[in-house]
Amino acid sequence: MLYALKIAGRYLTASKAQTALLIVGVAVGVFIFIFMSALIGGLAEFILSRTVGDISHITIEAEIDDPAVLISPNDLDGGHVLFVTERGRDRTATLSDAATWLPLIEAVPGVRAVSPQITGAGFLTRGAQVSQVSVTGLEPGKESAILDLEGYMVAGTVRLGSGLIVLGNRLTDDLALSLGQTLRLQSSNGVTATLTLSGIFDTGNGGMDGARAFVSLSTARTLFAMPQGVTQIEIKLDDLNAADTTALRISGLTGLDAVPWTDGAEQLMEALNAQAQTGYFLKTFALITIVIGVASALLLSTYRRRPEIGIMRAMGASRGFVVFVFVTQGAMIGLMGGVTGAALGYLALLPFPSRDAFQAGTLPLDITQGSYGLAIALTLIGAILASILPARSAARVDPVTAIGQ
Amino acid sequence: MTISQSALLEVSDLVKTFGTGDVATRVLRGLSLSLAKGEMAALLGPSGSGKSTLLTILGTLMKPTSGSYNMLDQDLIAADDNQLTVFRNLHIGFVFQFHNLLPDFTALENVIFPTAVRMGRETSAARDRGRDLLVRMGLEERINFPSTKLSGGQKQRVAVARALMNGPELVLADEPTGNLDRASASQVMELIGQINREEGTTFLISTHDEKIAGLCRRQLVVGDGIVTG
Ligand SMILES: Nc1ncnc2c1ncn2[C@@H]1O[C@H](COP(=O)(O)OP(=O)(O)OP(=O)(O)O)[C@@H](O)[C@H]1O
Ligand SMILES: [Mg+2]
């Protein structure tokens, strides 16, 4: 079929301006497809990174122990059930055997990081100044497992250790603290520790920068009088869209109540979904335009070339050969338009900042989400489908009437 | 029949009706004809008598309404479209009055089309034969000319070369000189006569021109839907 290819190529080069225009038309469609992909993908990335990028994807919190059921409902038909709850002095519920669960959770596919934490409230004192903080005890070495503390550091180091504390820049500004200074932290349990300021972060989030204190897990144990266990386990996934299924899996595996970030984020999910739908819609239209453009151009060409098709048939070209000539033209146009459009799309997206540097106020176009291969493949398939109708009409040309014209 | 021993083709009782009902036109009404190998025959008859219709049926480009057609011991009425495509390619060459050459191809590319379409590519053997044929047609200067830049007479000579490309037994020419001046027409006919004598290719040539017809050894006349002569 090399020969059919040659004829198809000759037909395309015979009317260069027309072919060029057709390829440009296809390329524009592909360009729109790629631009939309990069925009919708980039927007989703941007919104997610702003909303859930720094939070735990799945959280396991200690539950207050179920109150003991004194009389099982089964024993007493329709009778009352009596619950007795003994309230502790403080809220502290613990995941006491967290240590045994951690390796299990870490082994679940798709889990990127697991961070056991002890959280609580406390007061920070520096001289006469006092500030209320919420304290999080993190395992040394896993400081940036969930929130990218490392990336937000503006001074000192993120590395937590015994006797060290890391604070936000608002808090250090308020208390006029600088690196290396010592301060006192009193927990809600009444335990006081003297700590050295070893790092300052700036997340841009006021609440976080003004009222969060990070200490090591062991420091938190002392502060909150919790010799073993943790208050929560935070889990980061490779794919935050897998949170629901992975949470179910972890719950099934451990019996713990693993809560995905999507719980309570339905509106966000709906918005992202609607946005993706709009993207599909626009991309579908771009493809339909390509298909219609290619089909009409080729149909016109088959009409113009009827006498030639008649001659070829008389000279021994089979119907299949004629079909192949026209489908090949469609494929060539699709391929050239697809590649041109993809290249143009890529070049047009180059000047935009990468996904890590998205800024509010500019279009968050993600060059890595241009779906270039998909755009070229779909265009190729679309152009081939578009050429089937013209090709069939070409194959049905009656040599007698075509030559007689 | 005496010629049936060396008969190339035989049609009998050919009927061709165009349209149905009130507008039905019976063009061929039981036409029978036999052509021997190596014949060179002219097909005469008034305009609208059915010359082109007969050539089209003989060329397997159209089926008759009824009748039989055998060529080279094959029943061409029973054959399907694909079989006829192959048969045409190997055994029948065409020269038409208009729309003869593929406009986006050179003279040589046009000539080797029948071979290339069968092989799936343009072989160098095909190119050699195509060049030889063009030289024979006196077109050595025009071998790689775009076909649209050739004169009318040159185009028809390229068409004759193409019709001969696969060495067919039969060449059907429908008013091949109808568009040409006298000098070009004679030149084309001379070349056809030469091929006929040298290669034994059978020619059937429709024409309105008595002089052209006079160059053929046999004259067939279509009239009232049958052929005489
Ligand atoms: N496709 C068709 N549909 C209807 N009628 C047709 C068709 N083709 C040919 N005819 C009719 O058949 C008759 C014979 O036509 P044909 O073309 O065979 O004549 P011809 O002998 O070649 O004439 P000319 O010398 O003018 O070329 C004419 O009356 C023509 O109108
Ligand atoms: Mg005619």
Side-chain angles (χ1 to χ4, degrees), chain A residues 400-401, chain B residues 18-19 25 27 45-54 62 97 174-175 206 208 222:
Chain A
V400 181
T401 49
Chain B
F18 288 110
T25 329
V27 179
S47 182
S49 58
K51 301 183 296 295
S52 296
T53 305
L54 177 60
M62 179 167 71
Q97 183 175 0
D174 195 356
E175 299 187 43
S206 88
H208 286 285
V222 185

Side-chain angles (χ1 to χ4, degrees), chain B residues 20 137 217:
Chain B
T20 49
M137 293 295 139
R217 269 168 272 137

Side-chain angles (χ1 to χ4, degrees), chain B residues 89-107:
Chain B
N89 181 262
L90 293 174
H91 305 296
I92 304 178
F94 292 90
V95 181
F96 304 104
Q97 183 175 0
F98 311 108
H99 297 310
N100 236 327
L101 302 182
L102 305 173
D104 299 314
F105 295 80
T106 64

